Amino acid sequence: MDTDVEVLIAGAGPTGLLLANELGLAGVRTAVVERLPQRTGRSKALNLQPRTAEVLDCRGLLEPVLDRSQALLPSGHFAGLPLDYGALDTAYPHQVGIPQARVEEFLEDHLAAYGVPVLRGRERAALARCPGPPRTLRAVRWASRFTDASRQAERYAVGRVLLAGDAAHIHAPAGGQGLNLGMQDAFNLGWKLAAVARGDAPDGLLATYHAERHPVGARVLANTRAQMVLTLPDPDAVVVRELLADLLTTPEANRRVAAMISGTDIRYPMPGTPDHPLLGARAPGVRLLSGRGALLADAPSATVVAAADRADRIDQGPAADGGEALLVRPDGHVCWAGRDDDADGLRAALARWFGPPRSRLPDGGAPGRPR
Ligand SMILES: Cc1cc2nc3c(=O)[nH]c(=O)nc-3n(C[C@H](O)[C@H](O)[C@H](O)COP(=O)(O)OP(=O)(O)OC[C@H]3O[C@@H](n4cnc5c(N)ncnc54)[C@H](O)[C@@H]3O)c2cc1C
């Protein structure tokens, strides 16, 4: 293995492979080690939720995934109770029906574009704790199991080790959320890790990974536990389920639960920033193909001028419908919103999320790594 690797990812599951793609796009020297000698071709998950579809579209990766998909399902479910996704505020009000193995195959093949290797038959020893199968069953060709176990790592970051996906949380597969949660962890983490590797990350940026994603994981654990209770063959559970089934026929209850299961209601806290309805929320429909952030503001304006010294990290585009200026992080979440003449407000957000201009970095303004 190249000893010059800056980030080593243990595990070529959907989480590790999306993270590797993000780091590859950012030009970070990355390698993936996978203990299995080859892909199994087997699938646990069979779906992508709407927020994961948005994430892939943000990088221009959705279309090839759709080409490999089998169906678009306009609904989800909560403990088997149907949820109408038509009410969601998204361009993708459906689940993409695609086996996990095809998602992994696509993401691994796409890594070749960045020269990121997947080294199979190698195990990250420090993380290996699982015993091999007992002498789970060697004749069984493929098996999977799940229980109602819910576990979450207390900390997603310990020193230079970061946890994402099933390494950070496990729960029952109720509602079809686990793979989606892991891929969205990776999308939150990738650009932050890339900024650290490049040397332009502002203080505390990497710590926001745990701060933002741990509560999202905890909420999924809670809702899957609730779903498991609702499916118990218990007379008390049955009446609660009947009550909930009735509630879910109302548009507001359907919309709220559908938004939770689909991942479209995730809004990260933005401490130290004046409140605004878009802050922390995703900016639907914004494509960030370069992996950089974006300032959406009409030029000429003071904010456009203020962002010019971060052109290596931020692209610029027009404000939507002549509206307010928005600063969007590389993961598509809005981290500042304001008037397009509020250069001071924008500068504070730029410093908080994108770090100092290159001319003020300790390297004396040497050009950054090509991106
Ligand atoms: C029966 C079942 C049905 C499911 N259905 C759904 C669903 O419909 N929708 C949904 O969203 N989710 C579903 N899930 C959950 C989903 O499959 C997981 O959440 C998802 O696989 C997590 O992806 P990951 O990349 O984090 O981990 P994994 O997919 O587990 O990938 C981790 C990889 O790391 C490798 N590895 C492990 N340890 C090491 C090591 N020390 N060194 C190197 N490599 C290592 C493993 O071999 C593996 O390839 C289901 C799960 C089960 C069990």
Side-chain angles (χ1 to χ4, degrees), residues 202-203 270-274 279 303 306-307 309-310 314 327 335-337 342-357 360:
D203 287 348
M270 295 282 155
T273 315
L279 265 182
T303 46
D309 60 7
R310 310 299 204 297
I314 295 166
L327 183 62
C335 59
W336 179 82
D342 183 10
D344 288 345
L346 177 71
R347 274 195 206 97
L350 288 170
R352 175 176 175 76
W353 292 106
F354 294 94
R360 298 219 320 263

Side-chain angles (χ1 to χ4, degrees), residues 11 13-15 34-35 44-45 47 100 124 165-166 176-180:
T15 303
E34 165 57 54
R35 72 178 170 198
K44 293 178 285 188
N47 69 317
Q100 178 167 338
R124 176 77 172 86
D166 277 16
Q177 300 171 87
L179 169 146
N180 292 274

Side-chain angles (χ1 to χ4, degrees), residues 3-27:
T3 52
D4 207 17
V5 159
E6 293 167 298
V7 177
L8 182 67
I9 297 173
T15 303
L17 291 171
L18 183 60
L19 180 61
N21 271 276
E22 284 292 283
L23 293 168
L25 176 64

